Amino acid sequence: MVTPDRYSQDVLAGDWRAAGRKVIPEQEAVRDLVIEEVATGFCGAVVGLEKGIVTLEDRFGKHRLFPLGPGFLLDGEPVVLVVPKATQPAGRMRTASGSFAVANTPARVALPSRIFVEGRHDAELVEKVWGADLRVEGVVVEYLEGVDDLDAIVRDFSPTPDRRIGVLVDHLVAGSKESRIAEAVQRGPHGRNVLVVGHPYIDIWAAVKPARVGLEAWPQIPRSIEWKHGICQALGWPHDEQADIARAWQRILGQVRSYADLEPALLGRVEQLIDFVTAPTRL
């Protein structure tokens, strides 16, 4: 009969401290993941991640920033929030505009040609989706407050075949004051080297597909109500002050990830402008 030897083994061998301890799983902080921060009870979707800090947005649009690591709940279970692993498929990567990304290439020295974009929100949207492409091409985008002075701006710039101007006008529709100004510029002495195009939307917000903010369609706003204020009111967002409107736009802009989140009527016009101002460098 063999007697079990309970004393010949080191009882402290191995990770004895982990005995009975529950292992908390890691969870990648992927976009749109809904998670709860334990200490504050704040629950929201992941909308940003930078330098070890995750940004959560709750259902009211409020943002809170938290450090990655333990202290989060996913479906009521504790998790350790970590930086997502690379999920990009093999092959050439694409920019937000859908173009092939050019790796390890610094921005080009700015070309003499320019693209002017009417409206601050319009310019921010162009930068977000086409910024990488424009830096590779060396095209500078300038904010245009309005088109009333467009003729003077063109004359001061004095465009040539190698120094062109592209202009994106907000809500360019037939018969409007903006369309008459654009037509006059195109008929002017610099018309061959200037291209003025516009999108049909009453505001650049509407060029973002409504599904990105949880809508089937953008609400119809009476003409007696300023459109942005009316949209915020219809969505239940604060809209009393200009700061509220600015926050609403940042909320919408934050949902734009690539060209696929924008309406084709805007995509085509911006691509047309980029081709026009870079054409001399491609001849």
Side-chain angles (χ1 to χ4, degrees):
M1 181 175 179
V2 179
T3 303
D5 183 359
R6 297 180 296 171
Y7 304 100
S8 61
Q9 297 180 351
D10 184 358
V11 296
L12 300 182
D15 189 6
W16 58 272
R17 294 182 180 85
R21 182 192 306 165
K22 181 178 180 180
V23 178
I24 300 177
E26 292 186 345
Q27 170 61 51
E28 296 182 5
V30 295
R31 189 173 183 86
D32 297 329
L33 173 74
V34 177
I35 201 159
E36 179 182 349
E37 201 275 332
V38 175
T40 61
F42 188 87
C43 183
V46 174
V47 295
L49 182 64
E50 184 176 2
K51 296 181 180 179
I53 301 296
V54 64
T55 302
L56 302 183
E57 180 184 52
D58 70 8
R59 62 192 183 94
F60 302 107
K62 184 178 180 181
H63 286 191
R64 291 284 298 274
L65 278 63
F66 301 99
L68 293 176
F72 295 91
L73 297 178
L74 178 62
D75 296 330
E77 296 295 327
V79 293
V80 177
L81 210 56
V82 298
V83 176
K85 297 182 178 67
T87 56
Q88 196 66 245
R92 294 186 65 183
M93 296 176 62
R94 292 183 179 269
T95 65
S97 72
S99 301
F100 284 117
V102 181
N104 302 319
T105 300
R108 288 181 59 182
V109 175
L111 297 176
S113 299
R114 291 289 185 272
I115 292 179
F116 290 87
V117 179
E118 183 192 12
R120 192 173 302 280
H121 293 176
D122 305 57
E124 290 176 351
L125 185 60
V126 169
E127 163 59 28
K128 179 161 189 178
V129 177
W130 287 274
D133 299 3
L134 293 168
R135 281 185 284 276
V136 169
E137 295 286 357
V139 177
V140 174
V141 173
E142 295 192 18
Y143 162 59
L144 183 65
E145 188 171 357
V147 296
D148 289 354
D149 297 326
L150 183 57
D151 182 63
I153 291 172
V154 170
R155 282 188 278 105
D156 289 344
F157 192 87
S158 299
T160 66
D162 295 317
R163 178 183 162 85
R164 295 180 172 184
I165 291 180
V167 185
L168 180 66
V169 178
D170 197 20
H171 195 217
L172 187 63
V173 294
S176 65
K177 177 189 70 173
E178 290 79 8
S179 67
R180 291 193 294 272
I181 293 174
E183 291 166 2
V185 168
Q186 300 272 203
R187 292 195 304 267
H190 301 293
R192 292 182 58 187
N193 302 308
V194 179
L195 177 63
V196 183
V197 301
H199 60 75
Y201 306 106
I202 191 169
D203 192 278
I204 196 65
W205 292 17
V208 177
K209 291 182 178 178
R212 293 306 305 143
V213 291
L215 300 172
E216 292 186 1
W218 287 99
Q220 295 295 317
I221 306 301
R223 292 190 175 185
S224 58
I225 300 175
E226 200 279 327
W227 195 82
K228 289 188 178 77
H229 287 265
I231 290 295
C232 291
Q233 185 177 19
L235 295 176
W237 296 352
H239 57 280
D240 293 333
E241 302 177 357
Q242 187 57 37
D244 295 327
I245 304 302
R247 282 189 289 269
W249 167 241
Q250 290 305 315
R251 182 174 178 178
I252 295 169
L253 184 62
Q255 297 302 313
V256 176
R257 300 160 299 187
S258 73
Y259 73 98
D261 296 324
L262 303 180
E263 298 289 357
L266 175 66
L267 297 175
R269 301 292 73 74
V270 176
E271 296 290 347
Q272 184 180 3
L273 289 176
I274 294 174
D275 287 344
F276 179 77
V277 299
T278 59
T281 68
R282 297 173 178 171
L283 295 178

